[in-house]
Amino acid sequence: MNFDLTEERQMLQDGLRRYLRENVTPEALNAATDSQTGHSEAVWEGLTEMGVIGALFSEDDGGFGGAGFDLSVVFEEMGRAGVFEPLLETGVLAGGLIAALGSDAQKEMIEEIIAGKVLSFAHGEPRARYDLNHVETKAEQTAEGWTLSGTKTVVGHAAIADAFVVSARTAGDAADEDGISLFLVPADAEGLSIRDYPMNGGGRAGEVTLDGVTVPADALIGEAGKAFPEIEKAAARATAAISAEALGLMETIRELTVGYLQQRKQFGKPIGKFQALQHRMADVLIEIEQARSAVINLAGHLDSPRAERERHVSATKNLIGRAGRLVAEESIQMHGGIGMTQEYALGHLAKRLTMVDHRFGDTDFHLERFIRLSAA
Amino acid sequence: MDLTYTDDQKAFRDEVRSFLAEKLPKRLSDKVAGGKRLTKEDYEEWHAILNEKGWLGVTWPKEHGGTGWDAVERHIFEEETTRAAAPRIVPFGLNMLGPVLMKFGSKEQQAHYLPRILNGDDWWCQGYSEPGAGSDLASVKTTAVREGDHYIVNGQKTWTTLGQYANMIFCLVRTSKDGKPQEGISFLLIDMDTPGVTVRPIVLIDGEAEVNEVWFEDVKVPAENLVGEENKGWTYAKYLLTHERTNIAGVGFATSALSNLKRIAGLEQSGGKPLIENPFFAAKMAQVEIDLMAMATTNLRTIAAAAAGNAPGAESSMLKIKGTVIRQEINALTRQAVGPYAMPFVSEALDEGANVSPVGPDYALPATQSYFNNRKLSIYGGSNEVQRQIISKAILEL
């Protein structure tokens, strides 16, 4: 047994933590939240210069990582700092799908992605909730290529994406796994429109409407109708990433809360002297350790056979959802009124942590799925 | 044992219902039911309607223009108005200051302020909490120094709910540093237009600015604005808090939040079926409903005891804890129910007549906002930890 990071990953973690600590202040996060782009260009540039996006891709694809533990190292630090850069959308989802299924010509884009080009994965739909197989957007083959029509919802960082990987149905019914295809669609394609809006916990997203968007035949990524297994795998990797981000958020929340319990005095003594709060804090610490183990479990099983991998996806996401809610709610409670304010860093971190449960399936979704996968 | 209301109480319920059906503007109930943002004018409009009927001072005796209702009647009124989605009665003047003035205020103060509260001439806010005080109110530091016929007030108050709308604030101020911390506190009424008063909004995690910081810098307050005796303010403050803790269980709020949750869970689809049929979600919803059914009865038992003249003791702390935990659980389930649409934050969509449509279903944005906003329920009014201390102290007698 060895739970230590490799030397390379340790260096990546140290470098990232130092960079983010020095460059991301609560004021900078607030400014990024309020900005039109919904992220910090300076931080994004810093991350690309450090080569962080390359850590999300394998050497074969032009990166220097790509394994589960590379994802977890990077995203834990993103969570620690509370940043909301388009790393998941561009590096794990859109970029990951291109790496997995793309033609040689399409894969050339990965180099640009590593250099900072922003892509997003337009997959969620109004009636899909968390079902990855629910795709109603249609793609029809034409003489020029493909024509896409449909609505994609809560597409992360949509307004700043240069292009989208769009899922669309080329065969079958709304909930079939078979018949889902992926297309590379430039953001300025005719018929594509975006309603851009801010998100709880920072960052922006958009509703992407495709109204007869025509793309050439070579915009198809991989084989027509066969994309679902790779979508599921990309979602597994994204779940590992966002779970690690949640863990990083919990770590910073823990630091803030411990500091507060030590410093804040009430009834003549530090509030951390009250047993009621000591026990709550102990429960929070236990759950954070559980969360760390769950993240390790998933990161270590991303390349396992499907059944084993997906069981870990659901186990981890369920636990992260439960631990995340406990940590967010308890930390606000232990902070009292100050924890309710937008100005103090905790509010932002707790909101981000709470919102993790609304991505890639919530606690109930994954509890039910875990039971189903375990019975299979 | 009789779990039903008397005929008189049932008749009263019918009277309240028909009044609401006739007089509660649909524009207001639509806003409340839809989780939209209420303006100062909205509250004032509803207060004026209630005042015209003589139903605004629900905790007040008749001689001061109140309803003279007993605890059961107040409960029925509360339940019906919540069910009908009426705006809440802003409690600071009516339920907090009013009773204090009636019991401890001078005849002049009563004659001047009480009618103004009912008429809506004054909007009061509460100056209790301070940075560093929290649930430890006896540690207030804002000072009031007597100079001739005035007090000079310096200090800072915080968490002043709707202070941005208020023209008057009632404050706990320190007039003496001798003795125990509780002994040197006085209860002072301050006109917010006095030079030296500054109000600064605090934006909370739901993005709303419903609370404020209030700063006092050499604020000159006439000595006649002192309520009762100097240095006896702690007694009045505690009396006020017992009134603040009326309707602490929030059964009406929980009931309407639960029916909203069920409506949403019926509309949302999960795995091709309504979410309300999902066994995992349905189990959680059922459990909170079971808790609520029992709490509603605990609440009625406390109310019945109060109506019979027994002062509530630890029961109000129990209701505070259980009531807030239940409401927060319903809020969490509602946030969960809306799925990915819990994430967009289009604040402008909460304004009446906004030119911005919500993202996804119209119930999604208020679901997330309420969840974050109601984290406050277990913090304010004496945190739930403090309430647990009160309960265990009463039982353990150690």
Side-chain angles (χ1 to χ4, degrees):
Chain A
M1 286 285 132
N2 176 8
F3 290 101
D4 297 333
L5 292 175
T6 60
E7 206 177 314
E8 291 79 9
R9 286 183 186 131
Q10 189 63 57
M11 280 171 60
L12 178 65
Q13 184 183 65
D14 293 345
L16 253 179
R17 193 172 300 181
R18 199 174 326 111
Y19 170 77
L20 291 167
R21 215 167 244 175
E22 285 166 8
N23 291 280
V24 180
T25 58
E27 295 75 36
L29 283 178
N30 281 336
T33 303
D34 295 340
S35 74
Q36 279 305 304
T37 60
H39 81 125
S40 157
E41 280 84 356
V43 170
W44 185 240
E45 207 168 293
L47 293 176
T48 54
E49 277 170 14
M50 288 177 81
V52 172
I53 303 159
L56 309 175
F57 293 92
S58 70
E59 281 183 38
D60 287 349
D61 294 320
F64 61 90
F69 292 113
D70 298 306
L71 297 185
S72 64
V73 163
V74 169
F75 280 90
E76 185 181 331
E77 296 312 314
M78 298 299 133
R80 247 176 229 277
V83 296
F84 31 88
E85 296 301 313
L87 210 59
L88 186 81
E89 287 77 9
T90 203
V92 180
L93 291 166
L97 285 163
I98 293 170
L101 290 173
S103 63
D104 289 346
Q106 287 166 338
K107 281 191 184 183
E108 279 171 19
M109 197 180 268
I110 294 173
E111 200 181 320
E112 293 174 72
I113 288 174
I114 291 173
K117 184 187 177 95
V118 175
L119 264 68
S120 190
F121 181 36
H123 181 61
E125 296 195 0
R127 277 179 290 271
R129 201 173 174 88
Y130 301 118
D131 291 331
L132 293 171
N133 51 309
H134 188 109
V135 174
E136 293 182 50
T137 296
K138 288 254 184 301
E140 280 168 10
Q141 202 156 13
T142 64
E144 305 106 277
W146 299 88
T147 301
L148 280 64
S149 290
T151 303
K152 296 294 183 177
T153 189
V154 202
V155 179
H157 295 279
I160 58 164
D162 287 313
F164 296 94
V165 171
V166 177
S167 60
R169 189 161 285 291
T170 43
D173 293 330
D176 290 348
E177 291 182 4
D178 255 4
I180 301 171
S181 308
L182 295 175
F183 299 90
L184 190 60
V185 181
D188 59 3
E190 207 181 317
L192 186 151
S193 56
I194 299 167
R195 180 188 170 190
D196 165 54
Y197 47 79
M199 300 268 276
N200 279 302
R204 297 181 80 88
E207 304 296 283
V208 176
T209 308
L210 303 139
D211 184 9
V213 173
T214 300
V215 289
D218 63 4
L220 177 71
I221 305 170
E223 202 183 328
K226 301 289 177 211
F228 182 76
E230 286 302 330
I231 291 174
E232 192 182 66
K233 200 168 176 194
R237 289 168 62 80
T239 302
I242 202 166
S243 298
E245 185 182 339
L247 173 64
L249 287 160
M250 290 182 212
E251 290 285 6
T252 305
I253 289 171
R254 175 184 62 79
E255 270 175 43
L256 284 173
T257 309
V258 168
Y260 193 76
L261 293 180
Q262 290 168 333
Q263 286 156 20
R264 170 80 154 106
K265 287 200 172 108
Q266 228 179 4
F267 303 103
K269 52 185 177 181
I271 57 172
K273 292 262 186 195
F274 291 97
Q275 203 172 44
L277 298 185
Q278 291 170 351
H279 288 188
R280 301 183 90 126
M281 195 65 221
D283 286 340
V284 164
L285 296 177
I286 293 166
E287 290 310 311
I288 294 176
E289 289 312 314
Q290 286 283 88
R292 179 168 294 284
S293 296
V295 168
I296 291 170
N297 278 345
L298 178 54
H301 286 91
L302 281 183
D303 295 322
S304 300
R306 184 199 174 239
E308 197 182 345
R309 181 191 73 210
E310 290 304 317
R311 206 162 160 270
H312 279 288
V313 166
S314 285
T316 296
K317 193 61 176 23
N318 171 268
L319 190 142
I320 289 290
R322 287 185 287 130
R325 183 178 163 194
L326 178 95
V327 172
E329 291 183 353
E330 292 290 64
S331 62
I332 291 172
Q333 181 70 24
M334 286 189 273
H335 271 86
I338 192 78
M340 290 291 299
T341 61
Q342 188 96 295
E343 219 166 76
Y344 180 59
L346 178 73
H348 165 70
L349 300 166
K351 269 162 80 174
R352 248 190 116 58
L353 179 57
T354 304
M355 287 300 120
V356 167
D357 203 39
H358 293 281
R359 304 193 69 181
F360 312 114
D362 64 17
T363 45
D364 281 359
F365 177 89
H366 282 293
L367 178 65
E368 194 176 9
R369 190 167 178 267
F370 180 82
I371 293 169
R372 209 166 56 232
L373 290 166
S374 302
Chain B
M1 220 28 95
D2 182 2
L3 298 185
T4 53
Y5 288 112
T6 65
D7 287 343
D8 282 351
Q9 288 163 345
K10 284 180 196 155
F12 175 68
R13 179 188 292 278
D14 292 341
E15 191 189 350
V16 174
R17 272 190 197 171
S18 49
F19 165 76
L20 288 166
E22 193 187 338
K23 296 287 186 184
L24 172 60
K26 190 171 178 309
R27 188 183 72 82
L28 290 182
S29 58
D30 280 352
K31 276 179 101 164
V32 173
K36 298 276 197 252
R37 197 173 275 134
L38 292 177
T39 63
K40 183 184 187 186
E41 291 69 32
D42 292 333
Y43 288 114
E44 286 176 337
E45 182 183 347
W46 180 233
H47 284 202
I49 292 167
L50 288 173
N51 188 43
E52 197 190 335
K53 174 78 176 171
W55 282 3
L56 184 57
V58 292
T59 61
W60 293 19
K62 281 190 169 154
E63 73 243 43
H64 288 299
T67 56
W69 288 337
D70 69 12
V72 177
E73 287 163 327
R74 287 201 299 271
H75 172 73
I76 290 170
F77 179 75
E78 181 69 41
E79 201 168 62
E80 292 303 321
T81 47
T82 317
R83 192 200 305 268
R88 67 177 179 135
I89 295 177
V90 179
F92 308 106
L94 283 154
N95 297 343
M96 296 184 188
L97 180 65
V100 169
L101 289 180
M102 287 173 215
K103 193 160 170 81
F104 303 107
S106 65
K107 285 275 168 276
E108 293 75 21
Q109 286 169 341
Q110 292 175 0
H112 180 70
Y113 291 114
L114 296 179
R116 292 175 62 86
I117 291 173
L118 291 177
N119 293 339
D121 294 331
D122 292 326
W123 183 302
W124 285 90
C125 63
Q126 174 175 245
Y128 267 35
S129 263
E130 294 186 4
S135 295
D136 181 12
L137 275 181
S139 70
V140 295
K141 291 190 177 66
T142 296
T143 57
V145 179
R146 181 79 185 245
E147 281 182 13
D149 57 356
H150 282 81
Y151 286 96
I152 304 297
V153 178
N154 280 287
Q156 184 194 354
K157 295 291 175 181
T158 192
W159 314 128
T160 310
T161 305
L162 301 182
Q164 70 269 37
Y165 297 159
N167 64 310
M168 293 295 293
I169 182 168
F170 55 88
C171 284
L172 294 183
V173 292
R174 185 154 297 286
T175 37
S176 165
K177 291 190 172 75
D178 300 335
K180 290 200 286 182
Q182 291 89 331
E183 283 165 7
I185 293 172
S186 298
F187 196 103
L188 202 57
L189 312 176
I190 303 177
D191 186 331
M192 309 257 306
D193 289 331
T194 320
V197 180
T198 312
V199 179
R200 191 187 78 96
I202 303 172
V203 179
L204 296 185
I205 51 176
D206 62 345
E208 301 291 309
E210 69 174 9
V211 293
N212 300 268
E213 288 180 314
V214 181
W215 300 78
F216 300 97
E217 200 182 337
D218 292 331
V219 175
K220 212 172 156 190
V221 181
E224 71 235 35
N225 283 20
L226 177 77
V227 174
E229 285 177 61
E230 200 172 275
N231 297 333
K232 298 283 183 213
W234 187 246
T235 311
Y236 319 146
K238 280 200 301 187
Y239 181 77
L240 180 149
L241 285 176
T242 63
H243 280 266
E244 184 186 35
R245 287 179 189 151
T246 55
N247 185 36
I248 197 143
V251 172
F253 292 119
T255 306
S256 63
L258 181 66
S259 67
N260 185 46
L261 168 62
K262 286 184 177 174
R263 178 178 72 91
I264 293 171
L267 293 168
E268 285 288 318
Q269 295 284 309
S270 168
K273 280 188 301 192
L275 180 62
I276 204 163
E277 291 172 23
N278 178 291
F280 300 91
F281 196 80
K284 286 193 216 166
M285 238 172 24
Q287 262 166 18
V288 77
E289 182 165 8
I290 289 164
D291 285 345
L292 175 56
M293 286 159 70
M295 189 197 49
T297 299
T298 310
N299 190 39
L300 287 174
R301 285 165 53 208
T302 309
I303 287 164
N310 298 317
E315 291 88 348
S316 68
S317 293
M318 294 183 189
L319 288 170
K320 161 94 204 291
I321 294 169
K322 203 71 211 173
T324 54
V325 167
I326 286 174
R327 281 174 68 189
Q328 288 178 334
E329 180 62 17
I330 295 169
N331 288 150
L333 289 173
T334 309
R335 169 175 63 72
Q336 194 187 352
V338 301
Y341 286 120
M343 294 188 281
F345 174 58
V346 186
S347 174
E348 305 90 304
L350 291 177
D351 282 327
E352 184 185 27
N355 209 9
V356 179
S357 56
V359 175
D362 57 3
Y363 49 71
L365 175 62
T368 308
Q369 302 313 95
S370 300
Y371 168 77
F372 284 124
N373 184 275
N374 278 346
R375 301 313 314 160
K376 74 187 176 194
L377 296 178
S378 49
I379 295 171
Y380 71 15
S383 72
N384 282 14
E385 286 76 18
V386 168
Q387 304 300 333
R388 286 188 180 93
Q389 288 293 120
I390 292 170
I391 296 166
S392 49
K393 209 169 164 185
I395 290 166
L396 294 171
E397 297 176 352
L398 289 172

